[in-house]
Amino acid sequence: MRGLTQSKKADALRAAPLFEGLSKKELLELVRVTDDLQVPAGTVLCKEDTLGREFFVLVEGTVDVTRGGKQIATRGAGDFVGEIALLTETRRTATVRAATPVRCLILMRGDFRRVLDENRSIERKVMQ
């Protein structure tokens, strides 16, 4: 499967309220540290009560969100999970498992923080 263009990645990131105020150029700074990931059905993207380190934007497929073993939501293309992990070191409040094969963008907290440190305008906009 072909990789997503930078423009498509930027559009996917912009869907998250955390990034909606960023310019195209600023989004491209985040795109360069964002990975395009494909996982089979059944893969756990994040597990409840573990320390969160990554943010996911769903591009294709669906995921089930569970808390305490009970399904609380289903998310699909255009949705995102784990945004709090970018801002603070905290435990996950739910488990997210691929219900179908999933293609997503993944942004790690360390990479995100590095981009913020290098570009204060992005930091100001995200923190608002």
Side-chain angles (χ1 to χ4, degrees), residues 25-81:
K25 181 180 176 186
E26 290 166 333
L27 282 168
L28 290 175
E29 289 297 315
L30 290 174
V31 163
R32 79 180 165 82
V33 297
T34 302
D35 290 319
D36 183 357
L37 183 66
Q38 297 176 55
V39 298
T43 301
V44 173
L45 298 178
C46 54
K47 187 172 170 49
E48 184 176 5
D49 289 328
T50 62
L51 198 55
R53 293 186 189 99
E54 51 295 280
F55 166 71
F56 301 91
V57 178
L58 303 173
V59 177
E60 297 172 1
T62 59
V63 298
D64 292 327
V65 181
T66 60
R67 185 177 300 135
K70 296 182 180 176
Q71 186 165 341
I72 59 171
T74 299
R75 299 283 184 255
D79 291 328
F80 52 90
V81 294

Side-chain angles (χ1 to χ4, degrees), residues 39-124:
V39 298
T43 301
V44 173
L45 298 178
C46 54
K47 187 172 170 49
E48 184 176 5
D49 289 328
T50 62
L51 198 55
R53 293 186 189 99
E54 51 295 280
F55 166 71
F56 301 91
V57 178
L58 303 173
V59 177
E60 297 172 1
T62 59
V63 298
D64 292 327
V65 181
T66 60
R67 185 177 300 135
K70 296 182 180 176
Q71 186 165 341
I72 59 171
T74 299
R75 299 283 184 255
D79 291 328
F80 52 90
V81 294
E83 67 278 10
I84 298 305
L86 294 179
L87 302 175
T88 184
E89 196 167 301
T90 189
R91 298 203 173 272
R92 300 284 189 184
T93 59
T95 295
V96 178
R97 182 183 312 270
T100 67
V102 167
R103 183 174 196 170
C104 60
L105 301 179
I106 181 172
L107 176 59
M108 303 298 291
R109 180 177 50 234
D111 294 329
F112 174 71
R113 300 302 272 173
R114 193 167 32 263
V115 168
L116 294 187
D117 288 344
E118 294 169 0
N119 193 323
R120 295 300 180 182
S121 71
I122 294 175
E123 180 182 37
R124 280 190 301 275

